[in-house]
Amino acid sequence: CKEPEKDMQRCPQANGLENLAPLVSSVEETPDPIPTTIKGTIPAWINGSFLRNGPGKFEFGKDRYTHWFDGMAMMHRFHICNGNVTYSSRFLQSDSYVRNSEKNRIVVSEFGTLAMPDPCKNIFARFFSRFQIPKATDNASVNFVKYKGDYYVSTETNYMRRVDPQSLETKEKVDWSQYIAVNSATAHPHYDREGATYNMGNSYGKSGFFYNIIRVPPPEEKAEAQDSADLNGAKVICSIRAAEPRKPSYYHSFVMSENYIVFIEQPLKLDLLKFMLYRIQGKSFHKIMTWEPQNETIFHLVNRHTGKESEVRYRAAPMFTLHQINAFEDNGFLVMDMCCGDDGEVIGDFTLENIRRGLGEEMDKVNFYNSLCRNLPRRYVLPLNVDEQTPLDQNLVTLHNYKATAKKTKPREVYMTHEELHDDELLQYGGLEFPQINYDQYNGRPYRYFYSCGFGHVFSDSLLKMDVHTKELKVWRYPGLYPSEPVFVASPKATEEDDGVVLSVIITPREEKSTFLLVLDAKTFTELGRAEVPVNIPYGTHGVFNEMG
């Protein structure tokens, strides 16, 4: 970390790290479900599909992608029924994938890879193609999301793809801008208990750059089931003006509680002028992100029901966050837990070259890992009732069980400091990311546990369960095993928050074709069983459990 180096110094430095090239190597798809080998026991009550997304192809012909995010989306399905598991996978048949496949080269630009002009065009056509704004990719490799009961795969552009969660068949391309005035949307929507979906997307025009909160209504009860995308009724409920219209903040997710949505405007910026210039110069987009720690972090508080933004400006020291853990209201306060780092330069560094560095370049590879900022769980507590009568310069967080502070520094302005939501024990696992909770029952409500990946390497090498009351950790970690984001599935007769299992796909770079689906008892965090898959699977991003009726 360039700025505050405290977390770097506290986290042990790594050496002798193993080569992770197999985690970012292209694989073949397995469209027809194949059986797996069960070791231990998969509980018979688990009935559904564990769906995962992530990059699965990193080159076309002689053209190679630069950045891990650029790889072509591959969908994976572990179907679990009566203690048995089958596996299937398919490449998303996005326009990007189809066009690249037809030409056997990269013809659609991605986050870190700029498509080169067609060599068959004459020099003038090639020159002028540099001045065209590239169309956004529909390579939706980040997550599976749900709108009105339908599954889509999503990235961070204005395009999603509807998919069949059983066959993994690619359905139609959906353009957000055809429904509402936004030109992007995150891959991390929130769902309320009535079945509505909330998300955020950007828009820009003559009046400035805006971050928009979107609501997609629940499916209509009497609506006939139709095999087509339906985002009708989607609307922008609040537009938040960017502090700097030419340098808006990058964001990957947002906070939602029972009554509020919080948008975090962080000092990781997208330089729109650079975006235009780089296109002309033939540079890729991941370089347009700039970390600007001279700016503070601003928390925008919005009433989820009225769409009204609070007039109070909530500020904090510069930080960077990708993923929220949970948020809930407590006696006039909004408690927000999230994974944070002190250095936002990390995203552009996940180039395939950095990740694949061979064992002969051990020192370089180790230095890449050691140079990464550790992301750690933090808790911010935002006072909801701040007015003219609120006293200045005293801690407004009066609830005894929180160490975070919030002080009114001037009218309509509050400065917050966070509480570290961990003990020093977490540092030996390299911090954590990809947090998940018992979402259906506890999202937006007081909760006790979250599950995540520990990062003792560039990619996660442990699974962690954190008790936010005591900050105690339970850990699953074995050398040479690299787990995916853990997803919690509640047992049918659950009476407690952690009654259920945690699912994670474990990748084994030391051994060919020995990937497995791991099933942990969520309470004890010990293994119940595993389903071994006789194919290679690359390291993925996010996933969901799709329960069968």
Side-chain angles (χ1 to χ4, degrees), residues 313-332:
R313 222 168 113 93
Y314 297 91
R315 300 162 38 240
M319 63 84 167
F320 151 74
T321 180
L322 282 175
H323 298 115
Q324 314 306 311
I325 303 169
N326 199 4
F328 57 90
E329 294 147 48
D330 185 358
N331 291 304

Side-chain angles (χ1 to χ4, degrees), residues 162-182:
R162 196 166 67 91
V163 293
D164 181 324
Q166 260 80 44
S167 66
L168 302 182
E169 183 191 346
T170 303
K171 304 276 194 176
E172 70 269 47
K173 180 160 89 167
V174 178
D175 180 352
W176 274 105
S177 64
Q178 300 299 305
Y179 291 89
I180 44 174
V182 298

